[in-house]
Amino acid sequence: VQLVESGGGLVQPGGSLRLSCVASGFSFSIYTMSWYRQAPGKEREPVATITPSSGSSFYHDSVKGRFTITRDNAKNALYLQMNNLRPWDTAKYFCNVAPGDEIRPWGRGTQVTVSS
């Protein structure tokens, strides 16, 4: 099992980033998937979730209207479009199956830093 996140970086407040995650070693297409983030000194928390067929998505209140989660099951890929980024979005971002399912080994994550 491998989860590889990419796309993070340093961005000014109000900017945008698109994160990607490529999964391997499990049946990605049948799982509800989530993006999680962990800020320094804080617990990892889910911020966006998408069902297997992309029929439904769910967001943490703090990112609603700014983040969009999508997936491409043919590529075993998960994406997070992040717009209007704020300093409190600064964190390391990870992908994994949704809370409640058997969490796979975490990848290295991708760092997002929002600062002027």
Side-chain angles (χ1 to χ4, degrees):
V1 174
Q2 192 172 23
L3 296 162
V4 181
E5 301 90 353
S6 63
L10 173 64
V11 63
Q12 292 186 342
S16 298
L17 285 173
R18 185 178 189 240
L19 306 184
S20 298
C21 164
V22 177
S24 61
F26 68 102
S27 299
F28 174 85
S29 64
I30 68 172
Y31 283 94
T32 296
M33 295 294 296
S34 293
W35 280 98
Y36 299 75
R37 68 185 180 189
Q38 187 168 23
K42 295 187 176 181
E43 292 189 356
R44 196 171 303 181
E45 62 178 1
V47 295
T49 298
I50 188 167
T51 54
S53 62
S54 303
S56 296
S57 56
F58 309 92
Y59 299 91
H60 190 279
D61 285 348
S62 65
V63 307
K64 280 180 182 176
R66 301 187 298 119
F67 290 11
T68 302
I69 186 171
T70 57
R71 67 191 295 165
D72 184 339
N73 287 338
K75 297 181 178 179
N76 282 4
L78 186 72
Y79 306 100
L80 187 68
Q81 176 68 41
M82 305 187 297
N83 297 328
N84 193 20
L85 282 159
R86 315 312 297 173
W88 52 84
D89 295 317
T90 294
K92 185 164 279 191
Y93 285 72
F94 303 84
C95 64
N96 213 310
V97 298
D101 275 320
E102 182 180 350
I103 291 293
R104 273 31 183 197
W106 294 98
R108 294 185 176 182
T110 186
Q111 178 68 40
V112 172
T113 302
V114 185
S115 175
S116 55

